[in-house]
Amino acid sequence: MRITIKVGSNVLTRPDGTLNVERMEHLVAEIAELHKAGHKVIFVSSGAMAAGRTLVKNYSHLEPVAQRQLLSSIGQVKLIDQYKRIFDCHNIFIGQILVTKQDFRTREHYLNMKSCIHTLWENGVIPVVNENDAISVTGLMFTDNDELSGLMASMMDCDKLFILSNVDGIFDGNPADEGTKVIREIGCRQNVSKYMQVSKSSFGRGGMQTKCHSAQKTAASGIDVYIANGTRDGVITSLANSDDSFVCTHFIAGERIPAVKKWIAYSEGFTKAEVVVNEGAKRALLSHTKAASLLFSGIVTILGEFKAKDLLTIRDEAGTYLGVGCSTMDSDKARAHVGAHNLKPLIHYDYLYIDNDLI
């Protein structure tokens, strides 16, 4: 079984911001157990920024980007060194992989990353992945490590993704209210926005809303996703063994999608232009009963310049984001065909991803 495990900052840090080494040791022991049982594991770990705050005292005078670069650069060294010490106790090698969103901007970069993970797995090494915050800046950053973990799980065709936070899952109301319960199962097309809390952690970037969005997006690609409490003992083992008695939120996997669609699903930040479609095309694209390509007869206008095989953002006439697709031709040829019938599509269904939230 292939499993991606994402651990959030609030799991790895104490209230004062110092690393919770005892918790790290417990999580690593469970990961080591999976590894020795023959499972392939990707470990996506937050905590670099929090670790940096324990080492650097005078950084408040720096602008936010400079603060991020300073704290993450120093903190990542402390974080990975601590992991190495703990994994060494289990006689397991780890390999550090620091990535930015730009590393996934082309199919070539995407496949290079995939090859890297395969190489580590084949040599008995557990990949420890984190965003390269020292280089990432606004616009090039992942929403948070939930998005990154979803991308890694989809890329490596994992069976399960564990998103470990400091809460038991998605609640059906305010967790502080009496009688509020954890929602045990959520479909990948189920609307759960009314349950979302907008607060964020002290040390991480994301809140439960982004976790839920990333989880549903990943589940829609055919991967079972679990949001669970990483501060509870036995969490990883329980999730790996599908222990129904363990309280968490399980996002039920949808139908598996082809590998190229998985790449396109996470590539909306790298599109070169926009295509605006009419209501008929929108209905066809959003239908989950029949596969539909984007035909020229449904295109209203094309905004921007692009080449064949470039990624395009698809929107309706109100400006609502619908999805992403790979163009079959360049922008000059495409504009000449807008509104035409009986032509090959601008975006073929095999290279088209429609946002799951809209279906």
Side-chain angles (χ1 to χ4, degrees):
M1 185 162 55
R2 297 182 177 189
I3 304 171
T4 295
I5 301 168
K6 182 266 179 178
V7 181
S9 297
N10 273 7
V11 175
L12 301 173
T13 55
R14 302 182 186 278
D16 63 358
T18 60
L19 284 176
N20 187 337
V21 177
E22 183 179 2
R23 177 50 41 188
M24 294 172 70
E25 289 174 344
H26 188 90
L27 293 170
V28 167
E30 292 192 71
I31 293 172
E33 186 178 332
L34 293 182
H35 177 76
K36 291 176 180 179
H39 300 298
K40 305 295 186 184
V41 177
I42 300 173
F43 186 31
V44 179
S45 177
S46 303
M49 289 280 290
R53 289 189 181 97
T54 69
L55 300 172
V56 183
K57 305 302 179 184
N58 300 315
Y59 58 85
S60 60
H61 63 287
L62 299 174
E63 61 169 328
V65 172
Q67 285 188 24
R68 185 173 198 83
Q69 291 174 323
L70 174 65
L71 297 177
S72 62
S73 295
I74 295 174
Q76 185 64 35
V77 175
K78 179 177 180 178
L79 184 69
I80 201 67
D81 180 65
Q82 189 64 62
Y83 275 131
K84 181 184 181 301
R85 292 169 185 267
I86 301 172
F87 274 102
D88 280 348
C89 295
H90 297 274
N91 297 312
I92 296 174
F93 286 113
I94 59 172
Q96 179 177 238
I97 300 178
L98 296 178
V99 302
T100 68
K101 207 165 187 177
Q102 287 292 92
D103 292 321
F104 301 92
R105 69 188 183 275
T106 67
R107 184 74 175 147
E108 180 182 7
H109 280 78
Y110 184 85
L111 293 176
N112 284 342
M113 181 67 67
K114 188 172 184 177
S115 176
C116 175
I117 301 293
H118 271 303
T119 299
L120 294 179
W121 276 350
E122 289 169 359
N123 288 277
V125 179
I126 294 179
V128 179
V129 184
N130 196 3
E131 181 171 8
N132 192 344
D133 291 312
I135 293 177
S136 297
V137 294
T138 303
L140 300 179
M141 295 165 60
F142 295 100
T143 304
D144 55 22
N145 271 350
D146 299 321
E147 181 186 9
L148 173 57
S149 65
L151 192 153
M152 299 300 292
S154 295
M155 179 178 71
M156 300 311 299
D157 199 25
C158 288
D159 301 287
K160 296 184 177 183
L161 165 62
F162 305 158
I163 299 177
L164 306 185
S165 184
N166 61 342
V167 294
D168 291 337
I170 306 295
F171 287 80
D172 60 5
N174 189 330
D177 294 342
E178 186 177 353
T180 303
K181 298 179 181 179
V182 172
I183 304 172
R184 300 302 296 269
E185 290 187 343
I186 295 177
C188 59
R189 293 191 175 97
Q190 184 177 341
N191 186 351
V192 293
S193 58
K194 63 181 179 180
Y195 302 128
M196 295 299 98
Q197 302 293 311
V198 297
S199 61
K200 297 181 181 181
S201 72
S202 301
F203 302 109
R205 278 207 304 276
M208 198 53 67
Q209 192 167 19
T210 60
K211 282 179 173 55
C212 191
H213 177 76
S214 296
Q216 286 192 299
K217 190 172 188 177
T218 304
S221 71
I223 298 170
D224 284 297
V225 183
Y226 301 80
I227 292 181
N229 195 330
T231 67
R232 295 178 60 186
D233 292 346
V235 55
I236 293 174
T237 303
S238 296
L239 297 179
N241 293 331
S242 300
D243 182 357
D244 291 336
S245 66
F246 191 86
V247 178
C248 66
T249 297
H250 173 202
F251 292 81
I252 302 171
E255 184 178 349
R256 292 219 166 223
I257 64 174
V260 68
K261 279 182 175 278
K262 292 181 180 179
W263 167 63
I264 292 173
Y266 285 91
S267 298
E268 60 191 77
F270 306 120
T271 56
K272 295 295 182 68
E274 290 188 4
V275 180
V276 180
V277 301
N278 59 30
E279 190 61 27
K282 177 181 177 179
R283 286 196 302 270
L285 294 174
L286 294 182
S287 171
H288 55 82
T289 59
K290 183 179 180 181
S293 299
L294 178 54
L295 304 176
F296 283 101
S297 57
I299 296 175
V300 176
T301 187
I302 295 173
L303 305 173
E305 305 300 321
F306 55 89
K307 299 178 181 178
K309 298 184 179 181
D310 279 346
L311 293 170
L312 309 177
T313 297
I314 305 168
R315 298 187 186 276
D316 65 15
E317 293 181 270
T320 302
Y321 170 81
L322 301 180
V324 179
C326 191
S327 173
T328 58
M329 63 186 69
D330 64 35
S331 51
D332 289 340
K333 289 182 180 179
R335 283 195 180 88
H337 297 320
V338 169
H341 295 264
N342 302 320
L343 294 173
K344 72 175 183 178
L346 176 62
I347 300 174
H348 190 276
Y349 173 78
D350 290 345
Y351 299 91
L352 172 68
Y353 171 79
I354 296 301
D355 192 338
N356 179 67
D357 288 348
L358 299 166
I359 299 176

